[in-house]
Amino acid sequence: MFSQVPYTRIVKIDIATGATQEYAYKLDNIGTPAKPKYPTVSEILSISDREFLVDERDGKGLGDGSQAVFKKIYRIDLTNAQEVSNITGESNLVGKEVNKNLFLDIVATLTQNGIRPEDIPAKLEGLAFGPDVVINHTIKHTLFISNDNDFVGTITSDALHPAGIDNPNKFFVFAIDATDIPGFVPQKIEGEHEYRGFRGRRGRR
């Protein structure tokens, strides 16, 4: 799955007023200068009300009969980003895109930990922060990355898996240092504290 254009737009909506703002996001060219092609964005995850993680990915990997090549998470900050809702045309967006920094190269990280490129799901589409964990006496955030197997639970055979292979939906979980996302604001879930309090009262009986 590829895009033919180098920009997509992030739309910010004020849910109280309905007012919108737009920001240009430039995709990596994963083709060549002569024949450019661009990944798709499957997910945006908020770190805070101004910082986000963006999932850029190709469509290669398990489920496609190929090897995963490009699946990266970028960190962006809209604080000083230029608003572009009144700007049209690809050439007019040059230099006005949101600054982005590589946060996680998923393919590189998974292959370094023994997962073959052909076994990395083609459609890594979900991002979510999970509960904090303690590793070596240090609190870490967790980042969950999930795939969509398109309801195909088993690959019966392809060039890289001639004997077939299971193709379940999976979670890949990464421990994140707090210093890597210092502005992180955990999501507040309505009713969460009340539920926890109820459990506490039951535990004292």
Side-chain angles (χ1 to χ4, degrees):
M1 181 182 296
F2 301 105
S3 170
Q4 300 302 314
V5 293
Y7 293 96
T8 188
R9 294 190 181 222
I10 297 170
V11 180
K12 180 180 178 180
I13 303 173
D14 186 321
I15 59 175
T17 67
T20 62
Q21 294 176 308
E22 296 182 11
Y23 304 94
Y25 181 91
K26 188 174 182 179
L27 300 163
D28 283 10
N29 180 8
I30 58 176
T32 66
K35 293 185 177 181
K37 59 182 179 181
Y38 305 94
T40 187
V41 171
S42 292
E43 179 76 287
I44 299 178
L45 174 65
S46 64
I47 298 172
S48 66
D49 62 355
R50 59 184 177 81
E51 292 183 274
F52 301 87
L53 297 180
V54 181
D55 169 23
E56 284 190 49
R57 67 168 183 86
D58 60 14
K60 302 296 184 181
L62 183 62
D64 180 65
S66 60
Q67 293 185 319
V69 177
F70 185 95
K71 302 183 193 298
K72 295 182 178 180
I73 307 297
Y74 285 96
R75 179 180 172 182
I76 64 171
D77 189 334
L78 299 182
T79 301
N80 296 311
Q82 182 167 345
E83 210 280 335
V84 298
S85 59
N86 294 319
I87 299 175
T88 59
E90 178 182 317
S91 61
N92 293 325
L93 293 174
V94 175
K96 299 177 177 65
E97 65 269 12
V98 174
N99 289 328
K100 66 180 189 181
N101 295 288
L102 181 63
F103 186 79
L104 176 65
D105 185 330
I106 301 172
V107 174
T109 302
L110 293 182
T111 54
Q112 288 167 8
N113 286 275
I115 300 176
R116 301 182 303 170
E118 59 265 35
D119 294 334
I120 297 173
K123 299 177 70 175
L124 290 177
E125 296 186 333
L127 301 177
F129 288 114
D132 288 347
V133 297
V134 178
I135 300 176
N136 295 327
H137 309 291
T138 301
I139 296 176
K140 305 270 190 178
H141 302 310
T142 56
L143 176 65
F144 283 63
I145 301 178
S146 63
N147 71 300
D148 178 2
N149 69 355
D150 288 336
F151 301 102
V152 180
T154 303
I155 304 297
T156 55
S157 178
D158 64 29
L160 297 171
H161 305 94
I165 188 173
D166 288 339
N167 182 40
N169 286 318
K170 300 178 180 178
F171 288 105
F172 297 90
V173 185
F174 299 83
I176 306 296
D177 288 337
T179 54
D180 290 332
I181 46 174
F184 175 59
V185 179
Q187 182 182 14
K188 295 181 180 179
I189 301 174
E190 185 176 355
E192 182 181 35
H193 295 295
E194 290 81 354
Y195 176 67
R196 287 179 176 174
F198 175 71
R199 290 181 65 189
R201 287 193 294 274
R202 288 186 64 187
R204 289 194 293 270
R205 290 182 180 177

